[in-house]
Amino acid sequence: MKGVVFDGERARVVDDLTVRDPGPGEVLVAIAAAGLCHSDLSVIDGTIPFPAPVVLGHEGAGVVEAVGAGVTHVAPGDHVALSTLANCGACADCDRGRPTMCRRAIGRPGTPFARGGRPVYQFASTSVFAERTVVRAVQAVRIPKDVPLGSAALIGCAVLTGVGAVLNRARVGRGESVVVIGTGGIGLNVLQGARLAGAAVIVAVDVRAEKEAVARRFGATHFLDDVHAVRGVLPGGADHVFECVGHPGLVREAIGLLDRHGQAVLLGMTAPTDEASFPPAAMFLDKAVLGCRYGSSRPQHDIPLYAGLYERGALLLDELVTRTYPLEDFAGAADDAHHGRVARAVLTFG
């Protein structure tokens, strides 16, 4: 079968991948569509260290082909959106409803794929840049068949991370103020999360002025191309600032934009060795800096919730898809994503 494999030096489309059958508690999914996230590009450029060779992709949707023993919540023919959280379901964090903190869901890459008789790693427990993948049952979330799979694919990362950061981690309140630095796929979902939460002022900041129209469509009440202009809109600072770029300098700027009792939420992926600095005295007015993994999500709860909001017209999914590409044109999709030409590039199969 076809898939995108990163061999440690470059990523390319191959046609000689195999994937094993699902074991107990696992699901085999035929991938219909997969979003290209910057995290995939970060594996290629080394920002995210990961063993190679590896099948890339972690944001996808498709149709269940087979299930292993003990799987009852999905069946062959079901449409599913995939989560990257291969949490165990039995540890203290899972029991508390915090699956993103499950230590068994962090790292531990498996090798369900093979190529030429050699094992190939799975990225983020999903590897959806392949015609088929095997995931843990907890990662496959059934969705209504009237939700287009090309749009549903984006729920599993961009939507869970962005909307979840607003609703689950920051818990933005009605009437509060929000600043979103960076309006890529994650930033746009932070914007619509803030809109869903009822924020009164939602300021989008991006150096690309051409992104204003889409930012406003997703919920921005203001658009700025310079982070230093935010104080002109919010003289006292913001209740919530989301850094969605992954730049240490912007982390400092995010903290500097906070009002009293404000909180900065860090979503952009920096390199493991990057450091950010800020004056500690700025924090004494009950300000906070929050990390956020995967939108603090509970995928089996949140994915159906977001699919339902989409069906009611409250959550934008189709509008996230700037352009679709056949799997064979992965290089073109990656180039467009790297240069910020798309909110989300979506790879299609078949």
Side-chain angles (χ1 to χ4, degrees):
M1 68 177 183
K2 295 178 182 178
V4 178
V5 174
F6 175 62
D7 63 9
E9 296 183 1
R10 66 189 183 103
R12 61 193 180 96
V13 179
V14 303
D15 61 5
D16 57 351
L17 273 178
T18 61
V19 65
R20 63 171 173 77
D21 293 333
E26 294 181 331
V27 178
L28 175 67
V29 179
I31 301 300
L36 176 55
C37 174
H38 276 277
S39 293
D40 300 302
L41 301 181
S42 294
V43 174
I44 297 172
D45 68 20
T47 301
I48 298 178
F50 206 87
V54 56
V55 178
L56 296 175
H58 63 284
E59 183 182 72
V63 180
V64 175
E65 279 202 350
V67 300
V71 178
T72 59
H73 74 290
V74 294
D78 283 345
H79 287 199
V80 292
L82 299 184
S83 154
T84 66
L85 274 184
N87 59 295
C88 73
C91 68
D93 283 309
C94 287
D95 190 52
R96 293 179 184 130
R98 302 188 307 199
T100 57
M101 295 296 102
C102 175
R103 285 170 171 79
R104 294 184 66 84
I106 300 175
R108 305 173 185 270
T111 54
F113 302 98
R115 187 170 177 238
R118 293 187 171 186
V120 178
Y121 286 102
Q122 185 174 42
F123 178 54
S125 300
T126 41
S127 286
V128 293
F129 292 171
E131 293 179 298
R132 290 171 182 78
T133 192
V134 168
V135 297
R136 287 176 57 92
V138 71
Q139 296 175 254
V141 185
R142 188 170 55 195
I143 57 173
K145 291 185 177 180
D146 61 352
V147 178
L149 289 172
S151 299
L154 305 185
I155 300 178
C157 178
V159 177
L160 281 179
T161 300
V163 177
V166 174
L167 303 183
N168 302 327
R169 185 66 169 128
R171 298 185 183 275
V172 171
R174 186 169 297 278
E176 292 185 329
S177 57
V178 170
V179 174
V180 181
I181 302 175
T183 60
I186 300 300
L188 290 176
N189 279 289
V190 174
L191 289 172
Q192 70 171 334
R195 171 177 53 79
L196 289 168
V201 179
I202 306 173
V203 182
V205 182
D206 200 295
V207 295
R208 292 178 173 270
E210 65 270 19
K211 290 188 174 183
E212 178 172 1
V214 68
R216 288 187 179 275
R217 188 172 190 180
F218 274 76
T221 60
H222 300 73
F223 183 91
L224 304 170
D225 60 8
D226 184 349
V227 71
H228 298 105
V230 171
R231 288 285 182 176
V233 178
L234 296 167
D239 296 312
H240 309 273
V241 180
F242 295 83
E243 200 282 336
C244 304
V245 178
H247 188 286
L250 291 176
V251 171
R252 182 185 180 108
E253 296 289 353
I255 295 169
L257 290 174
L258 295 176
D259 196 355
R260 300 182 178 197
H261 202 67
Q263 52 188 16
V265 184
L266 309 185
L267 296 178
M269 178 63 69
T270 61
T273 56
D274 282 348
E275 295 184 0
S277 63
F278 61 90
M283 307 303 292
F284 292 141
L285 292 173
D286 284 358
K287 299 178 184 180
V289 180
L290 304 180
C292 183
R293 180 171 190 251
Y294 205 42
S296 301
S297 298
R298 295 175 294 157
Q300 288 288 344
H301 171 273
D302 291 351
I303 289 177
L305 170 66
Y306 298 153
L309 290 172
Y310 167 81
E311 289 183 303
R312 296 195 292 275
L315 185 82
L316 303 180
L317 289 181
D318 305 335
E319 295 81 358
L320 285 169
V321 182
T322 309
R323 183 180 170 190
T324 61
Y325 306 74
L327 179 67
E328 292 78 7
D329 192 20
F330 170 77
D335 187 66
D336 284 344
H338 175 71
H339 289 96
R341 302 185 192 109
V342 291
R344 259 307 188 261
V346 172
L347 300 173
T348 57
F349 298 73

